[in-house]
Amino acid sequence: MINVTKSFLPPLDEYTRYLEGIWDRGHLTNHGPLVFELEDKLRSFFGVKHVFLITNGTVALQIAIRAAGLKGEVITTPFSYVATTSSLAWEGCKPVFADIDEATFCLDPDSVKNKITPETTGILATHVYGFPSAVEALKEIADSRNLTLIYDAAHAFGCTYKGQSLASYGDVSMVSFHATKLFHTIEGGLLLTNRDDLAHKISYMRNFGHNGPEDFFDAGINGKASEFQAAMGLAVFPYLDRILSLRKARSDQYRTELAGVDLLIPSIPAGLEFNYGYFPVLFRTEADLLKVKTALNAYQIYPRRYFYPSLNTVNYVERQSCPVSESLSPRALCLPLYPDLKETEVTMICRILREAMGRP
Ligand SMILES: *Cc1c(COP(=O)(O)O)cnc(C)c1O
């Protein structure tokens, strides 16, 4: 069976070495030394002032929305994982959907501008597949209207855009460390910010609102990461270069073997050092996509429809029209891509895909 992704596991003894330390100290969670060690590594890796390891990416997004004080309307993208939209709804904000740019799959700044009302308090944009949102245009819009700009940078680990880590743009960003992501802590997420005021709020909000054992700043939630999560991150971290180069090799192979097939392979945007986190392809029609998906499934190969359906159509939001997203979403498919994926497996996937498209 070949899934769209497969978790990277470091050698077991490298993980158990961290576990031995946890057993020695008896410190299992609550801001332990491994969490601090991983946060230190990630702060310099991303080049931001503050990072916070959080129990998962979705809770991290919810904390970011709270810390930024978003309420009323928040302009967001219909083309993302459902957690982007559901986090807003969960926090009592109204998701207002702007449309996406068909070249990058990310929010179209002109469409964002058109959706601003007096009720708008923020923008929540996703760097889809690790492709950069229009960071300069969105910053200009946010700054000129006094809106907070939050990025769902779940896919952006290891992406560098115009000389700085993609996850360092915006007022605050979230990177997901779920087991299926490029870098992971089993479950986990990271909040990144250069703003001291947001950092302070995040620090107490992820810890029940504590300001000392018997003193509370404000309402909080339990967003802490455990030592076991941090241990996994520390054990995976030394393999990053290898993970990235294996992903690049398989991506390059897909591009070569799919050349001439009647589908669009999005090109890597200029100025981006890419992480090869996903290999998306865009079919001309949904019927083509379904044909290919069925053919691959017959061989127990499971690509995923990232992202479908377009989130402006889920049943708990006010329906708003986003023609570009609604056109791309039914036609976008992510092919299997992970460090262990073999060259022969990519060749097989491409052969099945070409045959399904009637192109041997
Ligand atoms: C994975 C993902 C999330 C959720 O992160 P978790 O760590 O799984 O909670 C949110 N947004 C996007 C775009 C994702 O891909």
Side-chain angles (χ1 to χ4, degrees), residues 56-59 61 80-81 83-84 126 152 154-155 174 176-178 181 187-189 278 307:
N56 64 58
T58 303
V59 166
L61 260 188
S80 184
Y81 183 58
T84 317
T126 300
D152 179 335
H155 300 173
M174 177 281 285
S176 168
F177 295 166
H178 184 258
K181 303 298 206 277
E187 290 273 0
Y278 296 85
F307 290 103

Side-chain angles (χ1 to χ4, degrees), residues 62 74 90 107 134 168 184 262 264 300 307 309 316 337 357:
Q62 290 165 2
V74 178
W90 197 258
L107 272 179
S168 68
H184 77 96
D262 191 20
L264 181 84
Q300 297 206 311
F307 290 103
Y316 54 85
L337 183 60
M357 298 281 289

Side-chain angles (χ1 to χ4, degrees), residues 84-103:
T84 317
T85 295
S86 67
S87 296
L88 287 172
W90 197 258
E91 291 302 326
C93 298
K94 179 181 171 190
V96 172
F97 295 94
D99 212 344
I100 58 170
D101 175 335
E102 64 183 342

Side-chain angles (χ1 to χ4, degrees), residues 273-333:
E273 264 178 64
F274 191 40
N275 64 4
Y276 303 92
Y278 296 85
F279 194 84
V281 296
L282 188 66
F283 293 91
R284 269 190 201 284
T285 65
E286 185 176 23
D288 280 350
L289 178 149
L290 294 173
K291 236 174 5 192
V292 165
K293 183 168 175 268
T294 306
L296 289 169
N297 289 171
Y299 288 86
Q300 297 206 311
I301 299 166
Y302 299 98
R304 282 291 294 271
R305 300 183 75 179
Y306 292 144
F307 290 103
Y308 178 83
S310 189
L311 296 171
N312 56 314
T313 66
V314 300
N315 67 13
Y316 54 85
V317 301
E318 189 177 289
R319 182 106 193 201
Q320 300 150 56
S321 164
C322 296
V324 179
S325 179
E326 287 171 57
S327 161
L328 298 192
S329 170
R331 299 186 285 121
L333 190 69

Side-chain angles (χ1 to χ4, degrees), residues 98-99 101 106-114 134 137-138 141:
D99 212 344
D101 175 335
C106 297
L107 272 179
D108 171 2
D110 289 329
S111 178
V112 170
K113 258 189 233 162
N114 290 334
L138 290 178
I141 294 169

